[in-house]
Amino acid sequence: MPEGQSLGARIRRLRRAAGMSQSELAGGGLSPSYISLLEAGKRTPSPDVLRQLSERLGCAPEHLLECLEPEERPDALQAELRYAEISLRNGDPAAALETYTAVCERAGAAGYEDVRIAAEFGAARALEHGGRLEE
């Protein structure tokens, strides 16, 4: 197993090795789009979801857990904020919103209030650029 492999990459590799589609892995209770977000590293699964995935993939939950970073790093979150800003400037408010929302959740959970606020503001701007003013 490559050292430093992300959780999403490991899930994708195990899913493909099992010959499963994202829909098949999703099964009951999870959506294929959520599996896609996990594999892209844009979501971090809850312990219950991790358990479900490990059962479906035929591995121990610990095999998936060892891929998780011990804690979020503010510099990584800041880099994602810059990526979202680039997406917004390049005319892709949907991609920007997705990234801003993910950063907001992760920064809030990690206690980085300044990053969370910046991500919330960015999400509002992405909604505005996308014509979703009511949101």
Side-chain angles (χ1 to χ4, degrees), residues 24-99:
E24 291 168 328
L25 179 57
L30 301 174
S31 70
S33 62
Y34 182 71
I35 298 298
S36 176
L37 291 170
L38 286 174
E39 290 184 358
K42 296 184 184 249
R43 295 289 185 273
T44 301
S46 69
D48 184 53
V49 169
L50 208 61
R51 182 190 51 74
Q52 289 178 44
L53 292 174
S54 67
E55 287 174 5
R56 293 174 191 165
L57 292 168
C59 68
E62 295 77 23
H63 184 65
L64 298 177
L65 279 172
E66 66 188 25
C67 293
L68 293 176
E69 291 281 328
E71 68 179 57
E72 290 289 351
R73 296 182 331 267
D75 57 327
L77 293 171
Q78 289 287 353
E80 288 188 53
L81 283 177
R82 288 190 294 277
Y83 173 78
E85 182 64 30
I86 291 168
S87 295
L88 191 58
R89 288 182 184 178
N90 285 336
D92 192 351
L97 179 61
E98 185 177 311
T99 303

Side-chain angles (χ1 to χ4, degrees), residues 103-125:
V103 170
C104 186
E105 291 171 7
R106 292 174 31 225
Y112 299 122
E113 193 63 15
D114 57 334
V115 176
R116 185 193 63 76
I117 291 169
E120 276 187 7
F121 180 68
R125 290 179 41 237

